[in-house]
């Protein structure tokens, strides 16, 4: 017998140990997410993938699929809350899309398009955050960090380097670089690292290749992020 | 018998801390402008050169708020327009002008008018007719209520056309994936 649960009325098969979002992706159903990446253990922090499981809200990236559960995802109420999370992410950082190399390939931007975010709604924080251009090949623009921790997980679990960490709490949380100077140049970070290629937004950028792909041909110009359950970024 | 002509909707437009790129994109609706003019007439706008906004159905504002005059114009639009639309990145999140928000206003003025290389005897202008710059640049919705937003830098002519025709036809404006973009 195949285990199944229902997601917005559809029957979704799953295997033992799979989370709701893993089973949904395998079935080709998109659930909005930012800090989740199928190659890594879930972090459960961005809350974009929140769904209702038997009437109670839960992160679909950490909630195990169970037979017979009733899951709601694409509803007005949940999408309204997801949009508000996005608006808070946009005003907390400095997300100036017209000048960002990641524009058109950015999961934050594409998810905001998907959820029809027409304005940031809240007052802008305009936080002061420094850029780290110390590394010869890579640039860190902390203005765009959404604290998804994917670079932290990639550097720790795949590269075994621990180059990145999240520091501070609440609104003072920030991404830091594990060097006495705090600078990327003083770490063993390199372009072959998984951490160099995992950022869903425009923080970790390879230098001297920006804007190589013209507008109209970037990842999310042609099709919305929902068209592929987990987006595969174009090589830039 | 001829049907009574529908009264035309009055539309006002202005650019605050913007570059007129959104207005240029608006003009990119090309010959559809003639169709639009069957249904609307312009009040205050760079297209008419009318200096103050009278009672209007729709106000379209490009650019953020960077000086005292911007605040007055924005409030005049809000007081007179039934529907107010923020158009473009600067109106919606401050955009390019807001990139100065990380510097003090004194530093900016000093750099632009006094210290910059190549300036001879530069001084910071202080004519009383010049509007005073604000400490920070703000998006429109931080100052008045905005009813609809058309994002983009600039939004495409098709996006602007879609929102205006939706409103003219009495629909809630909605931009699909091909028309919504932030850059």
């Amino acid at each position: 017998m195949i285990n199944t649960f229902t997601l917005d009325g559809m029957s979704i098969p799953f295997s033992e140990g799979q989370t709701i979002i893993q089973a949904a992706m395998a079935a080709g159903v998109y659930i909005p997410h930012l800090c989740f990446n199928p190659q890594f253990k879930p972090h459960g922090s961005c809350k974009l993938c929140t769904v209702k499981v038997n009437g109670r809200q839960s992160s679909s990236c950490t909630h195990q699929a169970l037979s017979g559960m009733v899951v709601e995802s694409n509803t007005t109420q949940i999408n309204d809350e997801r949009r508000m999370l996005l608006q808070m992410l946009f005003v907390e950082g400095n997300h100036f899309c017209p000048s960002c190399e990641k524009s058109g390939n950015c999961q934050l931007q594409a998810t905001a398009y998907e959820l029809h975010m027409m304005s940031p709604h809240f007052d802008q924080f305009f936080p002061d955050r420094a850029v780290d251009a110390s590394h010869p090949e890579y640039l860190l623009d902390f203005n765009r960090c959404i604290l998804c921790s994917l670079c932290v997980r990639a550097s720790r679990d795949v590269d075994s380097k621990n180059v990145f960490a999240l520091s501070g709490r609440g609104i003072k949380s920030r991404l830091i670089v594990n060097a006495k100077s705090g600078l990327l140049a003083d770490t063993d970070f390199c372009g072959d690292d998984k951490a160099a290629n995992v950022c869903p937004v425009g923080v970790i950028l390879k230098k001297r290749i920006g804007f190589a792909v013209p507008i109209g041909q970037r990842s999310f110009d042609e099709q919305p992020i929902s068209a592929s359950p987990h987006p595969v970024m174009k090589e830039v | 018998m001829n049907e009574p002509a529908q009264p035309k909707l009055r539309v006002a437009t202005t650019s605050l801390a913007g570059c007129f790129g959104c207005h240029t994109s608006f003009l990119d609706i090309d010959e559809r402008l003639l169709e639009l003019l069957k249904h609307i007439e312009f009040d205050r706008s760079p297209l008419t050169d009318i200096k103050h906004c009278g009672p209007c159905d729709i106000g379209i504002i490009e650019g953020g708020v960077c000086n005292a005059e911007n605040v007055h114009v924005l409030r005049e639009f809000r007081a007179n327009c039934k529907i107010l639309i923020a158009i473009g990145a600067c109106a919606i999140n401050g955009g390019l002008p807001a990139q100065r928000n990380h510097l003090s206003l004194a530093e900016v003025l000093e750099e632009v008018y006094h210290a910059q290389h190549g300036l001879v005897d530069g001084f910071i202008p202080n004519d009383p007719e010049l509007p005073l710059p604000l400490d920070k640049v703000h998006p429109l919705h931080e100052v008045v209520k905005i009813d609809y937003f058309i994002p983009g830098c600039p939004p495409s002519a098709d996006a602007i056309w879609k929102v205006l025709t939706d409103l003219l036809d009495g629909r809630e404006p909605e931009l699909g994936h091909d028309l919504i973009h932030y850059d």
Side-chain angles (χ1 to χ4, degrees), chain B residues 115-183:
Chain B
Q116 199 173 49
H117 182 72
L119 288 178
V120 179
D121 296 333
F123 67 97
I124 296 169
N126 61 356
D127 190 292
E129 280 204 10
L130 292 172
L132 286 172
L134 302 181
D135 185 35
K136 302 284 179 204
V137 179
H138 297 273
L140 304 184
H141 71 269
E142 291 185 13
V143 182
V144 299
K145 164 122 174 48
I146 299 294
D147 301 299
Y148 297 107
F149 300 85
I150 313 178
C153 187
S156 66
D158 288 341
I160 298 167
W161 174 252
K162 176 72 167 58
V163 170
L164 289 178
T165 50
D166 278 352
L167 285 173
L168 287 170
D169 292 344
R171 291 187 299 265
E172 272 295 296
E174 195 174 324
L175 299 178
H177 176 260
D178 53 330
L179 294 180
I180 178 170
H181 60 92
Y182 300 159
D183 58 2

Side-chain angles (χ1 to χ4, degrees), chain A residues 133-139 184 189-192 205-208:
Chain A
S134 62
H135 194 279
E137 289 168 38
Y138 277 80
L139 172 79
L184 192 65
F189 177 89
C190 76
D192 296 331
L205 296 168
K206 192 169 171 30
K207 289 182 177 178
R208 291 175 286 276

Side-chain angles (χ1 to χ4, degrees), chain A residues 90 94-98 103 109 112-113 116-124 126-128 218 220-224, chain B residues 89 92-96 98-99 101-103 137-139 141-142 149-151 153 174-177 180-183:
Chain A
F90 268 87
N94 295 305
H95 298 279
F96 178 43
C97 297
S103 190
Q109 184 191 62
Y113 294 169
H116 300 285
M117 194 193 99
M118 303 305 284
S119 85
H121 180 79
F122 301 105
D123 286 7
Q124 297 280 349
F126 294 122
D128 279 319
R218 304 167 304 180
F220 303 118
D221 286 335
E222 290 151 29
Q223 52 180 11
Chain B
I92 291 172
N93 62 24
L96 181 69
Q99 302 308 298
N101 286 357
H102 304 286
L103 303 164
V137 179
H138 297 273
H141 71 269
E142 291 185 13
F149 300 85
I150 313 178
C153 187
E174 195 174 324
L175 299 178
H177 176 260
I180 178 170
H181 60 92
Y182 300 159
D183 58 2

Side-chain angles (χ1 to χ4, degrees), chain A residues 89-108:
Chain A
L89 286 173
F90 268 87
V91 300
E92 275 175 23
N94 295 305
H95 298 279
F96 178 43
C97 297
S99 83
C100 180
E101 291 109 291
K102 202 62 179 278
S103 190
N105 298 306
C106 170
Q107 281 189 49
L108 177 68

